[in-house]
Amino acid sequence: MSGAAGCRGGGGERGPRWRRPWKLLALGLLSASSVLAAAPGAGAMSKEEKRRLGNQVLEMFDHAYSNYMDHAYPADELMPLTCRGRVRGQEPSRGDVDDALGKFSLTLIDTLDTLVVLNKTKEFEEAVKKVIKDVNLDNDIVVSVFETNIRVLGGLLGGHSVAIMLKDKGEYMQWYNGELLHMAKELGYKLLPAFNTTSGLPYPRVNLKFGVRHPEARTGTETDTCTACAGTLILEFAALSRFTGTSIFEEYARKALDFIWEKRQRSSNLVGVTINIHTGDWVRKDSGVGAGIDSYYEYLLKAYVLLGDDSFLERFNTHYDAIMKYISQPPLLLDVHIHKPMLNARTWMDSLLAFFPGLQVLKGDIRPAIETHEMLYQVIKKHNFLPEAFTTDFRVHWAQHPLRPEFAESTYFLYKATGDPYYLEVGKTLIENLNKYARVPCGFAAMKDVRTGSHEDRMDSFFLAEMFKYLYLLFADKEDMIFDIEDYIFTTEAHLLPLWLSTTNQTISKKNTTTEYTELDDSNFDWTCPNTQILFPNDPMFAQSIREPLKNVVDKSCPRSISRAEESLGSGPKPPLRARDFMASNPEHLEILKKMGVSLIHLKDGRVQLVQHAVQAASSLDAEDGLRFMQEMIELSSQQQKEQQLPPRAVQIVSHPFFGRVVLTAGPAQFGMDLSKHKSGTRGFVATIKPYNGCSEITNPEAVKEKIALMQRGQCMFAEKARNIQKAGAIGGIVIDDNEGSSSDTAPLFQMAGDGKNTDDITIPMLFLFNKEGNIILDAIREYEAVEVLLSDKAKDRELEMENMDQKLSENDSHQQNSEEASSASQDVGTVGEEPEEGESSDVSDSDPLSLAQADSDSVSTSDQDSSIPGLGEAGPPEPACTQGDEQPQVQQTETESDSKVNWDNKVQPMESILADWNEDIEAFEMMEKDEL
């Protein structure tokens, strides 16, 4: 199917007349909607149900927004678990994530135009006055150019766009005189120093007060930036130029886009993830549509729509053709190498690619949009939310979910394109999951781990800027809106820019530089709106027929894409052997290894060792394939090693007034009850033991009997503590870290080790909490005395807990509740043995899944220590395992405890203010790998 994202009306030259047809395609495809909405058996949602869900979205927004204003403003973001604002420098650094914070009331600015979309015009007027009065953009603070552009500059421009619209209507904002635009222009000038490079690509960070190269700037030494970071500026910068008549902003953004286009890989027409801002060399040469590249593609298409420059559409279509040729493996979207695009670069996908089906709708390519969206929805149905990253067999790779809106965005666009009520049901599921799993008394908390249901103390500004906007629009009818949404285009942060900017202050020459670089196939471009009869054949069940084969793709079957070789029916060279496909019993595979210079050595214990000698390869290309195969095997085995390790456990406070809404992430133990095999977990009231360290006989056994004992870490082994409390009659134990302020925010979870003796005598469950999480329980005891918790492998259903709480309060002797099944995916959990005395430490044993040694200049050896590469005659790394609940062999990894202290802002909040209505757990953001989203 072909179709341009923007189109001209009828024949003749390209010009302003494209705008209305564009809206028909991007936001309506109304003729298709009318066909599909009437599909027999489609279960069309009633108007009353749509209105009810729309009102529910409004209530959810009010809950999030009012808590930000009450507990956080003027801070940048709300910390919804501790009911306070996140102020940079007063909270532990989260690394690059904090670069979005600039002490400029980020959430309020990011939310401005959302207020108008949701018909909250009075609140909008008040918010604009607060921004004008309170926000300072001249702070001595280093911020991300990318995040500040899309969230703050975009937020100010979106706010200005709807402010002048309301003023024109004559009821609200009559006092407004462009103040938000003046602030946007001030901020634009503060971002310009970042573009002081020979390439025109901006530095990734800038100091709002001192720029880049000033001695006090504390930035300007970076050499790399991501493609999206440099390529997601044109909408905001061009809008700023068009609004103000100052052309420099659009010029700088265009120069950055031109440079990226020139540096694309010419044979594949793909771009890498990161690029050197001085030389233009690709630093990371993998390419996909997710993190690091995503919005670059989005802005090429939308820049054509907003600015009417054909070259942007030509570039987008060129890239899109490459994406569909190499990256798209329906329903998957897998990263590839830009120089060898037939070779996948990853075995997992990140959640940011969830925007891509929506972009495909704008392009007019509906079928693959439906396919990928349905695959993502199946993952959500399995995990309640979309994990930050998941494998090709739909297991969790990164377990966090910071309430990202990209999937809701694609759902909205697919509904507008198809009119299929199925997508209203998808939106309903999103609403239910947010309320059921993420809602807390002070807002909505991000998920730290979708497998356990634990939270982290985080509510990003994009949640208010995007999520509620798309969900409300999904259920809103035209009469519910106070303005025509089709007169605007969404930025990547869902800010609204008016389409009339395309004909305003056109100070930039529209020289078409695209065809200077490449010869384009005319068939790739369609300058008119796509025929909806082609997009949607005369079949009211069209969308459903595409989704149906994918219904059970996550749980019951593995989607195995047709290989490139199969696709070409055997013509052309076969793709290189992939590590995930390798079988040591396959003679053809062994022959391919030999050709790549890879030798297979059988070890005495049945394992095999792979060694590559590049000089023994049949050719230099085969040697290169062999090196990639070895690197893939290392990554694959490392991934399997992580999946084999024990996942975290959950401590859930179930008593009044928490009702199961507090979920603390806990480290497991090598001994005692295995909670993964006892789905009901262990439930009971908590009691503090004496002595608190638990290293000798418990002196208050009457207080501990039939309860879960709380104790402090230190002075003896974990196993000794467990034996002492078990002897006193405890039914479980929680060890709280003695390092003041420690938290899983900055310290990795670990597994409590035994004492080197037989620990079969320990039968009660033992869990470990860091100091910050443990204090949540201790504070609750001080406030409410009787505190009941559930120790389990995963948080139980909170709604059921609330429904049964009245009964449970009168039946305190009931200690067990049903818990949800544990996910088969695991989190990397190390093992730490408690130190008996100062200076004594536990044994250290590294068990890396593959050890890599450099034998000589052309020799690489890799040894699998955990049977990821089975012996001859056995299957190699298995095909993706799709059985839900598959258990992986447990691999215990032992490491020493880190004694490093964490510097926290130790402002102690009174229990009454923290709990407000109810209290929530304090969960942390686990730092990602260097390949951070």
Side-chain angles (χ1 to χ4, degrees):
M1 290 179 289
S2 64
C7 22
R8 57 178 182 172
E13 64 185 54
R14 301 161 194 157
R17 299 193 327 184
W18 57 267
R19 291 205 303 269
R20 296 304 301 187
W22 154 258
K23 289 187 288 184
L24 175 65
L25 171 62
L27 300 175
L29 283 176
L30 301 180
S31 61
S33 300
S34 61
V35 172
L36 289 179
M45 183 176 287
S46 68
K47 195 164 187 176
E48 292 73 21
E49 177 70 356
K50 285 182 64 178
R51 187 172 298 278
R52 183 189 71 82
L53 290 169
N55 289 335
Q56 191 170 2
V57 173
L58 293 176
E59 185 278 329
M60 293 166 66
F61 171 83
D62 289 341
H63 178 66
Y65 180 71
S66 62
N67 273 289
Y68 166 74
M69 297 304 295
D70 293 344
H71 299 290
Y73 182 80
D76 284 318
E77 290 180 343
L78 169 68
M79 299 173 68
L81 300 182
T82 48
C83 298
R84 67 176 191 266
R86 183 180 295 280
V87 179
R88 196 164 170 188
Q90 294 184 15
E91 300 295 331
S93 173
R94 300 174 299 169
D96 292 347
V97 176
D98 283 339
D99 287 343
L101 312 180
K103 297 183 178 179
F104 35 37
S105 301
L106 172 65
T107 296
L108 184 60
I109 292 177
D110 218 1
T111 308
L112 288 177
D113 53 7
T114 303
L115 289 166
V116 179
V117 172
L118 273 56
N119 300 335
K120 297 182 179 296
T121 47
K122 290 182 180 179
E123 291 89 339
F124 171 73
E125 193 156 5
E126 295 171 0
V128 172
K129 290 178 180 178
K130 285 183 180 293
V131 169
I132 295 171
K133 176 177 176 290
D134 298 339
V135 172
N136 176 25
L137 298 174
D138 194 41
N139 300 312
D140 178 13
I141 193 167
V142 177
V143 296
S144 161
V145 173
F146 168 76
E147 297 290 356
T148 304
N149 171 65
I150 65 171
R151 299 202 207 187
V152 186
L153 182 58
L156 292 170
L157 292 172
H160 173 71
S161 298
V162 294
I164 59 178
M165 177 271 296
L166 291 174
K167 184 176 182 179
D168 288 344
K169 287 181 177 291
E171 183 177 356
Y172 296 99
M173 303 300 293
Q174 296 305 298
W175 55 269
Y176 182 70
N177 196 31
E179 289 85 352
L180 293 179
L181 181 59
H182 299 323
M183 294 179 68
K185 188 173 182 179
E186 177 190 355
L187 181 60
Y189 277 120
K190 289 184 175 296
L191 296 179
L192 286 185
F195 291 82
N196 188 18
T197 61
T198 56
S199 66
L201 299 178
Y203 283 95
R205 299 174 186 84
V206 67
N207 187 299
L208 290 176
K209 190 176 187 69
F210 297 110
V212 172
R213 296 190 175 179
H214 190 279
E216 298 181 58
R218 305 186 305 281
T219 188
T221 59
E222 303 95 339
T223 59
D224 307 333
T225 192
C226 72
T227 300
C229 300
T232 310
L233 301 161
I234 187 63
L235 291 189
E236 293 84 0
F237 272 48
L240 183 57
S241 288
R242 302 293 175 100
F243 273 129
T244 64
T246 305
S247 64
I248 187 172
F249 304 109
E250 185 172 344
E251 290 171 357
Y252 274 48
R254 280 178 177 264
K255 183 179 179 182
L257 274 181
D258 290 344
F259 190 82
I260 294 173
W261 169 253
E262 184 178 355
K263 291 298 180 179
R264 76 193 185 286
Q265 212 291 320
R266 300 303 176 89
S267 62
S268 66
N269 281 320
L270 296 172
V271 293
V273 174
T274 55
I275 189 171
N276 186 296
I277 59 176
H278 303 296
T279 66
D281 295 333
W282 292 110
V283 179
R284 276 190 49 189
K285 300 177 182 179
D286 45 319
S287 182
V289 296
I293 302 179
D294 48 1
S295 48
Y296 163 68
Y297 295 134
E298 177 186 2
Y299 270 37
L300 284 178
L301 180 55
K302 291 183 176 180
Y304 166 68
V305 176
L306 184 64
L307 307 178
D309 188 335
D310 295 345
S311 67
F312 291 129
L313 179 61
E314 293 174 359
R315 295 180 190 182
F316 172 79
N317 278 330
T318 301
H319 285 313
Y320 186 78
D321 181 63
I323 291 169
M324 300 309 292
K325 183 177 182 180
Y326 301 118
I327 296 171
S328 177
Q329 301 178 38
L332 310 180
L333 291 162
L334 295 176
D335 286 17
V336 299
H337 297 277
I338 59 175
H339 294 97
K340 298 197 73 172
M342 306 298 285
L343 184 64
N344 288 341
R346 286 179 180 170
T347 58
W348 49 271
M349 296 165 280
D350 67 69
S351 63
L352 287 174
L353 62 76
F355 91 102
F356 197 67
L359 189 64
Q360 290 179 306
V361 170
L362 302 190
K363 160 71 177 172
D365 199 0
I366 305 299
R367 177 181 289 274
I370 293 173
E371 291 174 335
T372 298
H373 179 275
E374 182 62 25
M375 177 271 293
L376 295 171
Y377 184 43
Q378 296 301 320
V379 175
I380 288 174
K381 287 167 70 174
K382 180 175 182 178
H383 299 294
N384 299 321
F385 297 98
L386 201 60
E388 279 290 73
F390 53 94
T391 62
T392 53
D393 55 335
F394 310 112
R395 289 181 290 174
V396 173
H397 185 72
W398 290 334
Q400 301 90 347
H401 174 75
L403 306 182
R404 293 199 185 278
E406 285 78 12
F407 181 79
E409 174 186 359
S410 289
T411 303
Y412 164 66
F413 280 114
L414 270 168
Y415 176 66
K416 287 300 180 181
T418 66
D420 190 337
Y422 176 83
Y423 296 108
L424 296 177
E425 296 297 332
V426 173
K428 182 179 179 180
T429 299
L430 298 182
I431 291 173
E432 291 173 346
N433 287 352
L434 285 171
N435 277 322
K436 187 174 182 180
Y437 301 108
R439 186 168 182 143
V440 295
C442 287
F444 290 83
M447 307 305 295
K448 178 177 181 177
D449 193 317
V450 298
R451 298 164 300 188
T452 63
S454 58
H455 295 134
E456 68 177 279
D457 207 359
R458 171 182 181 184
M459 188 178 82
D460 290 83
S461 68
F462 54 68
F463 182 61
L464 285 164
E466 300 183 69
M467 180 69 81
F468 294 115
K469 194 175 291 175
Y470 287 124
L471 287 178
Y472 181 76
L473 289 171
L474 177 65
F475 296 104
D477 293 321
K478 193 169 185 179
E479 58 266 25
D480 298 325
M481 303 292 296
I482 62 174
F483 66 99
D484 189 352
I485 195 70
E486 295 185 10
D487 288 335
Y488 298 83
I489 190 170
F490 292 112
T491 68
T492 194
E493 191 78 1
H495 292 307
L496 301 177
L497 298 177
L499 291 173
W500 53 257
L501 287 176
S502 62
T503 57
T504 303
N505 290 325
Q506 297 185 47
T507 58
I508 306 297
S509 171
K510 293 184 184 177
K511 179 183 177 184
N512 188 336
T513 58
T514 301
T515 51
E516 295 179 6
Y517 303 126
T518 182
E519 292 185 5
L520 298 171
D521 181 0
D522 289 340
S523 65
N524 194 34
F525 308 101
D526 188 349
W527 298 103
T528 60
C529 289
N531 187 325
T532 55
Q533 295 302 314
I534 298 175
L535 281 178
F536 304 99
N538 222 357
D539 178 6
M541 305 297 288
F542 172 71
Q544 181 178 338
S545 67
I546 298 175
R547 289 193 303 266
E548 197 60 37
L550 303 171
K551 283 293 184 183
N552 300 315
V553 70
V554 171
D555 291 326
K556 294 184 180 179
S557 63
C558 289
R560 192 168 184 273
S561 303
I562 298 176
S563 69
R564 314 288 194 208
E566 293 169 340
E567 202 171 62
S568 60
L569 298 177
S571 61
K574 288 186 177 181
L577 177 63
R578 303 301 309 280
R580 68 184 184 200
D581 299 326
F582 171 68
M583 295 182 63
S585 60
N586 188 323
E588 183 179 354
H589 288 182
L590 297 177
E591 188 62 31
I592 294 175
L593 288 188
K594 183 178 179 181
K595 188 177 179 183
M596 294 189 299
V598 178
S599 302
L600 193 69
I601 302 174
H602 295 269
L603 303 178
K604 292 182 179 180
D605 57 6
R607 294 175 294 127
V608 296
Q609 183 180 40
L610 296 176
V611 180
Q612 189 203 24
H613 298 276
V615 294
Q616 297 179 5
S619 67
S620 58
L621 290 178
D622 289 318
E624 186 178 348
D625 288 341
L627 180 59
R628 287 197 181 94
F629 174 84
M630 300 289 282
Q631 291 170 341
E632 278 188 12
M633 188 62 76
I634 292 172
E635 179 184 347
L636 182 64
S637 185
S638 176
Q639 175 184 317
Q640 291 174 344
Q641 171 77 3
K642 288 182 179 181
E643 291 167 353
Q644 290 169 353
Q645 294 167 344
L646 288 177
R649 307 302 186 211
V651 176
Q652 189 172 15
I653 307 181
V654 296
S655 55
H656 172 82
F658 305 95
F659 302 122
R661 287 184 175 272
V662 175
V663 184
L664 305 172
T665 299
Q670 283 186 347
F671 49 84
M673 179 190 294
D674 184 354
L675 290 171
S676 67
K677 297 178 180 178
H678 295 77
K679 299 303 181 183
S680 59
T682 295
R683 177 172 178 160
F685 287 87
V686 295
T688 304
I689 63 172
K690 296 179 182 179
Y692 190 33
N693 59 35
C695 292
S696 58
E697 184 176 351
I698 306 304
T699 59
N700 61 335
E702 69 287 346
V704 176
K705 188 175 181 180
E706 296 300 318
K707 293 184 179 178
I708 295 174
L710 300 179
M711 68 211 78
Q712 189 178 48
R713 179 184 186 180
Q715 301 185 33
C716 65
M717 303 296 287
F718 290 120
E720 184 177 347
K721 298 175 188 287
R723 289 188 177 96
N724 288 332
I725 64 170
Q726 180 174 282
K727 183 179 179 181
I731 60 174
I734 299 175
V735 179
I736 299 175
D737 194 11
D738 58 341
N739 289 325
E740 185 67 29
S742 68
S743 170
S744 54
D745 199 356
T746 52
L749 282 173
F750 60 81
Q751 183 183 3
M752 293 186 290
D755 53 5
K757 306 174 184 177
N758 189 318
T759 55
D760 290 345
D761 59 313
I762 302 175
T763 59
I764 61 174
M766 293 288 291
L767 296 180
F768 176 89
L769 290 177
F770 281 109
N771 184 266
K772 193 176 181 185
E773 286 83 359
N775 280 336
I776 292 289
I777 297 180
L778 297 176
D779 289 344
I781 293 175
R782 284 190 285 269
E783 183 75 13
Y784 299 104
E785 295 185 1
V787 176
E788 189 178 14
V789 302
L790 173 69
L791 311 184
S792 62
D793 64 336
K794 185 178 182 181
K796 74 180 291 292
D797 194 311
R798 299 166 197 175
E799 282 191 357
L800 291 177
E801 186 62 40
M802 293 181 68
E803 291 172 3
N804 297 326
M805 186 48 61
D806 289 339
Q807 178 182 352
K808 297 304 177 186
L809 287 174
S810 62
E811 300 177 1
N812 288 335
D813 58 334
S814 175
H815 299 299
Q816 294 190 341
Q817 288 292 319
N818 289 332
S819 175
E820 296 175 353
E821 278 192 22
S823 169
S824 62
S826 304
Q827 175 171 320
D828 188 6
V829 181
T831 302
V832 176
E834 184 78 39
E835 64 279 37
E837 299 291 344
E838 184 178 357
E840 184 175 344
S841 62
S842 60
D843 294 335
V844 180
S845 171
D846 292 329
S847 51
D848 293 335
L850 288 175
S851 59
L852 182 66
Q854 190 72 29
D856 51 54
S857 61
D858 61 0
S859 173
V860 178
S861 171
T862 177
S863 173
D864 181 7
Q865 299 182 6
D866 290 298
S867 302
S868 290
I869 310 174
L872 190 63
E874 302 176 28
E879 287 292 334
C882 292
T883 304
Q884 186 173 2
D886 273 356
E887 296 289 342
Q888 295 291 336
Q890 294 182 352
V891 178
Q892 297 175 347
Q893 180 176 350
T894 303
E895 57 186 50
T896 57
E897 176 187 354
S898 171
D899 293 324
S900 60
K901 299 284 184 178
V902 183
N903 294 321
W904 289 83
D905 176 18
N906 291 318
K907 292 191 300 182
V908 178
Q909 303 256 342
M911 194 64 187
E912 184 177 349
S913 66
I914 294 178
L915 288 174
D917 301 318
W918 295 336
N919 194 0
E920 272 295 337
D921 61 323
I922 299 177
E923 284 304 331
F925 182 71
E926 182 180 79
M927 295 302 293
M928 292 183 178
E929 307 163 22
K930 291 182 179 179
D931 189 18
E932 179 177 346
L933 288 179

